[in-house]
Amino acid sequence: MSDQQLLGNFTDQDAPAYEDVLQCMRCGFCLPTCPTFALTGRERSSPRGRVALARAVAEGRLDFNLAMKEEAFFCLDCRACTSACPSGVKAGEVMEICRAQVHQQLPAPKWQGTLRNLVLKKMVPNPDLMETSMLPARLYQKLGIQWLVRNSKILKLGPAWIDKAEGMLPALHPPLRPQLPDLSPAKGEKRGTVAFFLGCVMTLLYPEVSRQTVKVLNHQGFDVITPKQQKCCGAPHLTEGDRDTTREIAAFNLDLFLDLDVDAIVTDCAGCGAALKEYEEILAERADHERLHLFHQKIKDISEFLFTQGIRTEGLKPVEKSVTYHEPCHLCHAQGISKQPRELIRSIPGVEFREMKEASWCCGSAATFSLKFTDESQKILDRKLENVRKTGAEILVTGNPGCHLQLAWGLQQAQMPQSVLHITELLGLATPD
Amino acid sequence: MITQSAVEQLEQALGKDKLITAKEDLLVLGYDSTPGLHAMPDLVVYPTSTQDVIKVVEVARGHNIPLTPRGSATGLSGGSIPINGGIVICLTKMNRILEIDEENLTATCEAGVVTLDLFNAVAEKGLFYPPDPGSQKISTLAGNVMEDAGGLRGLKYGVTRDYVMALTCVLADGSLISTGGKSVKDVAGYAFKDLLVGSEGTLGIITEITVKLIPPPQTKQTFLAYFDNIRTAGEAVSKIIAAKIIPSTMEIMDKATINCVEDYAGIGLPRQMAALLLIEVDGHPAVVAEEAEALKAILEQVGSAEVHQAKDAQDAMKLAEARRTALSALARVSPTTLLEDATVPRSKLADTFTLIEQLTEKYQLTVGTFGHAGDGNLHPTVLCDERNEDEMKRAHAFYDELYEQVLAWGGTVSGEHGIGIAKKGYLAKQIGPGGVAVMRRIKSAFDPQGIMNPGKIFVSEQE
Ligand SMILES: Cc1cc2nc3c(=O)[nH]c(=O)nc-3n(C[C@H](O)[C@H](O)[C@H](O)COP(=O)(O)OP(=O)(O)OC[C@H]3O[C@@H](n4cnc5c(N)ncnc54)[C@H](O)[C@@H]3O)c2cc1C
Ligand code: SF4
Ligand code: SF4
């Protein structure tokens, strides 16, 4: 029996493995790390509760119903529970797989209309963006607005929030991708060649950050190749439970990047990095195992890459600033990268590094736009901001666009003096042009 | 089943927001950390004040509905599982620390305050709340009080009971009692407070708790001692105690546990060793230095394979944190983790390890053992699969035989996890029919209707 998949009320395509849900011993260690549990205090919105619900579906005690759908999409997939769980349970992943079940088992949700409106209002007026018309949609998925639209009921948001949310959306820039040269050459003694994976959010919202990434890599002695045909990492589709599209995109990117003769594939978006590293699992049944493994090994977050290569500090300008660091969930929980960015920050001449409390507690990024509207949810952000405040640092560094946006907005609302920088922007300050 | 009129009364008394009736919510509010146990409540309430709790008890009493208190449901004997359905009353939203009294060295909290939150709050004021169960980062104080939870520091600092100064409790008839207080001495009448501690929610619902605080130790030193043979580790524990050294912590992990914890925490534990002891001595610097030396000498003399000292406080904390994950980490090996809570006089530790090894062999099981060695409190954990009936039978036979011997040695069937549903049979063996009869009489004095957490601790007359 044990090697046969128990499905119960799951369909057989893309269902959570029964063994994976059985693994949970209900110790509750994950509870204090889960943002949605902190928001609601509701057991079913905790990792332990979600896994128990999935187990009930697999055992036929519960239909795959509306509540399952709600939890599948209310879960931020931030993976904090994975880091916290001593038994190796991955509640976030189980919920991500459940999203695929939603598409198979339940009709399309109403919120989609609202979302489309929100996105279109913001996007269509800008003709430059039309060529990349799919980008904005992905962007908004990735920034979590959609999470909010969808969960406004659970979060008990009033009807006015959507207007306010819209007002908070950042302005979009012309995408960076077409502007970057195919090859940006290394400076000084050449140390290698990397391919640059440029995320959708980075190219649209933070083009200046990614320019700095390329500049820093060049200055550190790396040729940077940016393949123009590259596609979205697939995370937004995965998030939506559209695993088929994810598999198509993944297969395309896999071939594109493996054809390049590079030492590493570098990204400056923690969310993309996490997704790219998951290709090995997503494509497990489709692509050659060795190629997948090779690809996985080549994917490096920028801080991971620079740390392993060792940073050349000669020629760097001192940056006389005090700096603290917020860990993006997709870097520390999903990729296990925690030490590297801190060491990089410390290695910049002049910088004084100050550790903050609870650096790896979610900033509520996916919940960005809710934070303003409910007392309870404001607390998540307040908690983060208070920890930033206590460090007294001048600069808050992070490594993921979602966090970046959230933190910048939060600091501004709280009228705090810190500026938010991506880690390559900080390195960029030290790097001569 | 709960009647519509009871639901309406609750709605009226508390407001809809505090009531949970949807099936998906109820499904996840009928388990705790005890393997294999689950029951559906008919309704769950989340009170936010003592007044709310009184109102719930009144409705339950009027309709004769069973009432099961629940904290964070990390219990390991099924205490918060509503085996007869009815109402689960979940105290997690009553989680305010009401007062930290630095003059009297006490803290007063609502029932649902998380253990570690209290620890941190008093530490900020330079004070110390010692009881630290493995589950401290999520367990509630009331849950600790109701199970009389122990922890890693039990050996020197005692268990939860030793810190409870006062309790506010709603009884089954809806009356409110306060027992104990901030005075350090109190012999006024029966010690209700002591009766309530460890009563597993069967006598009343705790809403507020006042605990004793102490000044923290000035310094501490942490050691890891490795052993080629688990029996030797047991001897080391007895020898250390016999030498009149009382470490604050003396925790054991066997090979299986070491490997699981290392898989999770990755802090460089020695995978090939048969056992390790995590030992901490704390107090005045001069005393700590002296005890540390004596400790090292004893460890060497009994034949510990290696002794390492934690570099600094952070390193020491990492080790303790890792130890706290032992049970959950063992769960990564197999779908089901059956754990027990056998406690023996400390002089019997080495024999207990031998017995566990023999029984493991006899019943062909995989067992990981860890626990509060300094307290003689072991958690032999059978790593099994609940779908394998034969294996489950062998696991139960293993425990039956183990407990028989533990009782013969003057030990107990539960050191800290309580009896709950899981160990009713063993308790009867330990205290005999006379003991059970007295407990029943006490129970009915508090709760004549039998609505408070029925079906726990002892087999009820109807069963
Ligand atoms: C990984 C792990 C490690 C653990 N380590 C330890 C350890 O080192 N030492 C130890 O002693 N235990 C340990 N435990 C067991 C458990 O955590 C403790 O028993 C803890 O005290 C339970 O707290 P809780 O809030 O989860 O209570 P619950 O499990 O929710 O409830 C426990 C009991 O208390 C009753 N109860 C809860 N709140 C109230 C209230 N307000 N009024 C009346 N009754 C109430 C319930 O009805 C139930 O009978 C561990 C558990 C796990 C999962
Ligand atoms: S998911 Fe992991 S941490 Fe959470 S309750 Fe289950 S076993 Fe414990
Ligand atoms: S992934 Fe994040 S939101 Fe989802 S269950 Fe885990 S901790 Fe909670």
Side-chain angles (χ1 to χ4, degrees), chain A residues 240-299:
Chain A
E240 278 317 292
D242 183 359
R243 297 179 85 83
D244 279 336
T245 309
T246 309
R247 282 188 271 260
E248 271 166 37
I249 295 178
F252 178 87
N253 283 335
L254 181 82
D255 290 340
L256 179 72
F257 279 91
L258 278 185
D259 277 351
L260 303 173
D261 182 20
V262 292
D263 306 313
I265 304 161
V266 174
T267 176
D268 55 8
C269 168
C272 296
L276 294 168
K277 286 180 182 175
E278 268 173 37
Y279 280 12
E280 203 170 357
E281 278 165 45
I282 296 166
L283 293 178
E285 279 159 28
R286 282 223 192 158
D288 174 60
H289 179 75
E290 255 166 50
R291 275 169 67 77
L292 282 172
H293 190 62
L294 182 67
F295 184 77
H296 182 108
Q297 286 193 315
K298 283 198 174 182
I299 299 294

Side-chain angles (χ1 to χ4, degrees), chain B residues 223-405:
Chain B
F223 297 91
L224 270 188
Y226 305 160
F227 297 88
D228 299 323
N229 179 321
I230 193 160
R231 213 189 138 85
T232 319
E235 283 163 14
V237 172
S238 314
K239 289 247 165 69
I240 291 167
I241 306 265
K244 305 188 181 61
I245 301 173
I246 304 290
S248 52
T249 292
M250 193 143 55
E251 295 288 310
I252 194 159
M253 296 198 255
D254 72 351
K255 188 173 188 167
T257 316
I258 293 172
N259 278 282
C260 289
V261 169
E262 182 59 17
D263 283 344
Y264 169 64
I267 54 170
L269 297 177
R271 289 183 179 274
Q272 72 293 352
M273 287 291 169
L276 69 74
L277 285 176
L278 170 69
I279 310 176
E280 200 161 275
V281 283
D282 70 3
H284 186 278
V287 177
V288 169
E290 206 173 282
E291 287 187 342
E293 283 316 307
L295 193 73
K296 281 192 269 189
I298 296 172
L299 288 170
E300 196 170 319
Q301 183 208 334
V302 295
S304 161
E306 283 173 48
V307 179
H308 297 265
Q309 185 168 357
K311 284 198 304 286
D312 49 31
Q314 222 185 347
D315 202 24
M317 203 166 76
K318 257 195 217 153
L319 291 171
E321 290 264 292
R323 154 60 187 91
R324 287 199 179 91
T325 66
L327 170 59
S328 320
L330 278 169
R332 57 172 63 223
V333 176
S334 63
T336 313
T337 1
L338 287 183
L339 123 150
E340 285 299 341
D341 189 23
T343 306
V344 294
R346 288 174 291 215
S347 57
K348 288 289 177 209
L349 262 183
D351 293 338
T352 310
F353 286 125
T354 310
L355 179 63
I356 291 171
E357 277 180 352
Q358 283 167 359
L359 294 178
T360 306
E361 179 72 19
K362 175 171 172 186
Y363 292 107
Q364 292 295 302
L365 294 164
T366 311
V367 176
T369 301
F370 63 96
H372 316 295
D375 303 337
N377 186 184
L378 300 179
H379 300 312
T381 304
V382 178
L383 309 174
C384 50
D385 187 334
E386 61 198 67
R387 295 165 293 184
N388 182 338
E389 270 177 46
D390 180 60
E391 191 180 37
M392 296 306 274
K393 266 198 207 127
R394 282 181 279 125
H396 290 297
F398 169 93
Y399 286 125
D400 286 344
E401 201 170 330
L402 176 68
Y403 274 130
E404 205 162 301
Q405 186 58 51

